[in-house]
């Protein structure tokens, strides 16, 4: 049992942070603050959960971290763009993110919108520039753009806003969460697997793993928003203040925690045909499931 | 002399409109207005200049309109997203676009931001879904994402905003225009050529054609903003009111018109090695150069 999940996450996170620093080191003009704005949010830290999952998934099927790194970084760029736009005054109107002022609070709304747009667009450039085979690039771009666009994350955010203050069923909340958070987590795991050389069967199993993991992750986030207990980098209780539709808000905290545990176990069980190379994926699920609460 | 450029544009435009209507016909949920918002802007008409240029470029090297149509539509989706975001209150704060209320005026800022995000993301999905070879898909995505992202269109918009009300050199205005408008026009023509099967030499020539055309197009737009004369779908004189850096604003209208004509002729001369299949590209340049003023 020499495997240390925190060490694994920290080492893969370092690879991601290094490549992102490299990608965002040059300024392209001295007139605008676009570069500073992009850098501010992309290098603001964050757990790097999605890129680490992407790498762990590639490694679970025998792939190498270096090969999948551009895809992992592109996914983090897309995640970061979504945070910048979600925080805008017209959306969730947040002032803190990852413990520091939100992008528009530092650079203004116009530059924040543009920085998000640029991170999203450049993410596809980073994938297209990578050295993996064109066939895989197309497959991965299809996967990620579907998960991030109108059939995925963007619709999730639109639903989240539209449902604020409304009575909603648990099914609607689950669907909203799947779109808003789960779809991109799924794309991270599936893309990693594809680049790593997964068989079609393995892709199906990785997809199931990530679907369960994604919902568990969101439920735990919502519980943490109520209970606090972990530095979530934003103000506690913001979901309640904003009358957001959340899982614990509907079924209560106890049932929400049970559900998260159940989903975590289910996620891990999807990997039963994988060998010890999938240990990081299994341990990350338990690690996320056990976030302090 | 049987070639009728208006008829050519109108027929290619129909292909584009038909595919876009098809792509945007289904609503994905009954809770948000995301679908209506995307459809509102993408089906609002518009000249379809970029997709028509993309198709004309493919045809100029012997390619077929059908093959390049998904790429052409994706470029129009990216163009449309940029208009929605540029019109936002935090940016140009426009109330009219293509003769109708801007997206955020109808659907609100949050949905307008999300509709733009979705159009941009889905554009890459449309390209990745197309039936052209993976090698070409990757090449085209690289071309388009570079032209649209932080090294292209987004930076152009950031520069445009940063330069408002400032004294600027003609070189700075040219660079801003190239990034804001020219880069995506170039990507339209170059992508069309690539999908159509252009040789490397032809790509270089198409690139030069489109660079000259793009700057000419922007100068003429700026002249029309001052002189009116064509239904440009937005209020005349808006550049002046907003203290935008424009070409005619710096060198005067007469010199701006001379420059636009010079660039148009230069664009057409870049196609001297092309046969009669490039007639549409040549005629479109003259057509745009001769917009009523």
């Amino acid at each position: 049992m020499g495997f240390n999940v925190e060490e694994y996450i920290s080492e893969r996170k370092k690879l991601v942070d290094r490549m992102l620093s490299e990608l965002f080191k040059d300024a392209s003009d001295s007139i605008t603050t676009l570069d500073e704005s992009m850098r501010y949010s992309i290098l603001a830290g964050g757990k790097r959960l999605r890129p680490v999952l992407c790498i762990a998934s590639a490694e679970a099927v025998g792939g190498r971290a270096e090969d999948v790194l551009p895809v992992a970084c592109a996914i983090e760029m897309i995640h970061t763009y979504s945070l910048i736009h979600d925080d805008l005054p017209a959306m969730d109107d947040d002032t803190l993110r990852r413990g520091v002022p939100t992008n528009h609070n530092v650079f203004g709304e116009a530059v924040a919108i543009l920085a998000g747009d640029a991170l999203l667009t450049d993410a596809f450039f980073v994938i297209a520039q990578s050295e993996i085979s064109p066939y895989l690039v197309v497959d991965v771009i299809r996967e990620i753009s579907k998960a991030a666009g109108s059939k995925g994350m963007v619709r999730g955010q639109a639903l989240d806003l539209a449902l604020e203050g409304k009575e909603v069923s648990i099914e609607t909340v689950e669907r909203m969460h799947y779109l808003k958070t789960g779809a991109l987590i799924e794309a991270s795991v599936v893309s990693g697997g594809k680049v790593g050389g997964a068989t079609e069967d393995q892709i199906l199993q990785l997809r199931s793993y990530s679907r369960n993991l994604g919902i568990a992750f969101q439920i735990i986030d919502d519980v943490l928003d109520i209970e606090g207990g972990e530095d979530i980098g934003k103000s506690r209780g913001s979901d309640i203040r904003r009358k957001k539709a959340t899982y614990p808000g509907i079924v209560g905290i106890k049932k929400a925690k049970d559900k998260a545990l159940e989903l975590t176990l289910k996620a891990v069980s999807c990997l039963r045909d994988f060998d010890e190379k999938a240990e990081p994926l299994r341990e990350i699920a338990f690690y996320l499931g056990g976030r302090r609460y």
Side-chain angles (χ1 to χ4, degrees), chain A:
Chain A
M1 288 313 292
F3 184 75
N4 180 328
V5 66
E6 296 199 20
E7 204 174 287
Y8 177 90
I9 292 174
S10 144
E11 273 169 21
R12 298 307 177 274
K13 186 173 173 305
K14 258 184 224 155
L15 294 177
V16 173
D17 286 336
R18 202 183 304 149
M19 179 165 185
L20 288 172
S21 299
E22 190 58 30
L23 283 171
F24 290 88
K25 73 171 194 292
D26 295 319
S28 294
D29 77 75
S30 53
I31 299 168
T32 75
T33 52
L34 183 62
D35 298 296
E36 291 91 311
S37 169
M38 292 169 76
R39 205 158 26 213
Y40 177 80
S41 289
I42 195 80
L43 303 181
K47 296 182 288 287
R48 308 301 192 203
L49 169 66
R50 289 154 192 80
V52 169
L53 279 171
C54 182
I55 294 171
S57 182
E59 292 183 325
V61 296
R64 298 184 319 165
E66 308 91 274
D67 296 331
V68 79
L69 200 50
V71 173
C73 289
I75 290 171
E76 185 69 8
M77 290 163 70
I78 292 175
H79 173 58
T80 302
Y81 118 75
S82 77
L83 299 181
I84 298 175
H85 282 194
D86 285 2
D87 286 340
L88 287 167
M91 305 262 227
D92 292 347
D93 194 14
D94 270 311
T95 50
L96 274 185
R97 166 68 70 181
R98 290 172 174 173
V100 296
T102 45
N103 196 295
H104 66 269
N105 263 309
V106 179
F107 298 97
E109 266 183 76
V111 171
I113 294 169
L114 291 171
D117 292 344
L119 284 167
L120 170 59
T121 316
D122 290 1
F124 292 102
F125 184 73
V126 168
I127 302 176
Q129 277 283 71
S130 77
E131 279 164 22
I132 55 181
S133 83
Y135 176 84
L136 271 176
V137 168
V138 175
D139 201 8
V140 159
I141 287 179
R142 206 186 292 123
E143 181 78 29
I144 293 173
S145 60
K146 189 173 177 197
S150 73
K151 307 267 184 272
M153 188 175 69
V154 172
R155 186 165 309 269
Q157 172 67 2
L159 279 170
D160 195 12
L161 292 172
L163 295 175
E164 267 180 28
K166 293 227 174 79
E167 281 284 335
V168 284
S169 69
I170 196 75
E171 290 74 26
T172 305
V173 172
E174 276 184 358
R175 183 171 144 70
M176 181 267 282
H177 278 167
Y178 170 67
L179 293 169
K180 186 172 169 167
T181 320
L184 194 62
I185 288 180
E186 179 177 328
S188 307
V189 172
V190 169
S191 299
K194 284 182 171 177
V195 176
T199 63
E200 279 187 37
D201 267 355
Q202 287 178 318
I203 290 298
L204 287 176
Q205 290 152 3
L206 288 169
R207 207 180 277 285
S208 305
Y209 161 85
S210 60
R211 285 209 179 160
N212 287 296
L213 183 77
I215 306 173
F217 178 75
Q218 186 61 53
I219 294 176
I220 296 164
D221 246 25
D222 289 348
V223 169
L224 287 172
D225 185 76
I226 297 170
E227 293 202 328
E230 187 189 77
D231 179 13
I232 52 174
K234 53 176 185 173
S235 35
R236 192 175 139 188
S238 60
D239 292 342
I240 298 170
R241 275 197 305 283
R242 220 171 279 130
K243 298 200 174 62
K244 289 269 187 195
T246 73
Y247 204 95
I250 295 182
V251 303
I253 288 196
K254 171 74 176 68
K255 276 200 181 160
K257 285 183 183 180
D258 289 349
K259 180 78 180 175
L261 178 61
E262 180 198 322
L263 288 164
T264 301
L265 294 171
K266 215 162 151 190
V268 174
S269 79
C270 296
L271 302 179
R272 74 185 79 83
D273 294 341
F274 285 64
D275 63 17
E276 76 288 349
K277 292 195 296 299
E279 215 43 31
L281 277 187
R282 295 186 190 102
E283 291 292 328
I284 291 171
F286 288 127
Y287 179 74
L288 293 175
R291 283 189 291 166
R292 203 148 28 92
Y293 63 71

